[in-house]
Amino acid sequence: MFGFMVQLSHSQDNIFTQVYPKLNGEYFQQFLDWYLVQLGEDYAILQIDQAPAHISGAINWPENIIPLLQPPHSPELNPIERLWQYLKKSLKNELFSSLQDLRTRIQQLFEQLTFEQVISISSYNFILEALFYAASY
């Protein structure tokens, strides 16, 4: 399962989440195409790991979305990993009769998150410092 959370402004109404059945180039391109429309003329830096779907030559990167690759094998630098860790606590000891039920529950958990919670969970200065340091080499 692959998911993302994008905030387009400081308003709670402008946080978008989506969960895909898997991470592959096709779904990642769908996300980039959607994000491009949301951005309009604005620019964004998108922090990504080096999953094959993210770095494939087949990905058509829009000019106004700038990829920031985190170093290999460093999930601790990825804010979404911290968010998934937080969400997993809510799923502890829950049983689901189908994968779709699990997906529905995860979507509910995403929708319950406030902007403040997302910032609190995923914003750590050392992450950005480490990424910019690594990118300089």
Side-chain angles (χ1 to χ4, degrees):
M1 195 176 311
F2 158 67
F4 68 86
M5 176 172 271
V6 174
Q7 182 189 5
L8 299 175
S9 73
H10 289 325
S11 166
Q12 176 71 22
D13 296 333
N14 287 320
I15 295 178
F16 298 92
T17 60
Q18 183 65 47
V19 178
Y20 293 103
K22 60 184 175 180
L23 173 58
N24 65 21
E26 178 184 347
Y27 288 124
F28 187 62
Q29 187 66 59
Q30 285 179 19
F31 161 70
L32 289 176
D33 295 343
W34 170 85
Y35 197 27
L36 174 64
V37 171
Q38 305 308 309
L39 284 173
E41 298 294 319
D42 291 336
Y43 282 79
I45 296 173
L46 183 63
Q47 180 186 341
I48 55 175
D49 60 19
Q50 295 192 36
H54 293 153
I55 59 174
S56 166
I59 297 296
N60 181 21
W61 282 93
E63 288 185 26
N64 60 337
I65 301 177
I66 302 161
L68 176 61
L69 294 174
Q70 65 190 44
H73 312 294
S74 55
E76 69 278 3
L77 298 179
N78 192 340
I80 195 65
E81 296 298 337
R82 293 181 178 274
L83 194 58
W84 280 119
Q85 185 178 29
Y86 175 83
L87 292 175
K88 287 178 187 178
K89 289 178 186 176
S90 299
L91 298 172
K92 188 175 183 180
N93 297 322
E94 285 192 47
L95 297 174
F96 301 94
S97 58
S98 70
L99 184 57
Q100 185 55 47
D101 289 346
L102 172 61
R103 288 181 179 141
T104 300
R105 180 69 176 121
I106 290 171
Q107 188 67 36
Q108 290 170 345
L109 291 171
F110 267 128
E111 291 169 359
Q112 292 171 3
L113 289 170
T114 65
F115 171 72
E116 290 78 16
Q117 285 175 307
V118 173
I119 294 300
S120 169
I121 295 165
S122 62
S123 294
Y124 294 93
N125 287 339
F126 79 88
I127 292 173
L128 288 175
E129 290 170 11
L131 286 169
F132 286 121
Y133 178 79
S136 69
Y137 285 96

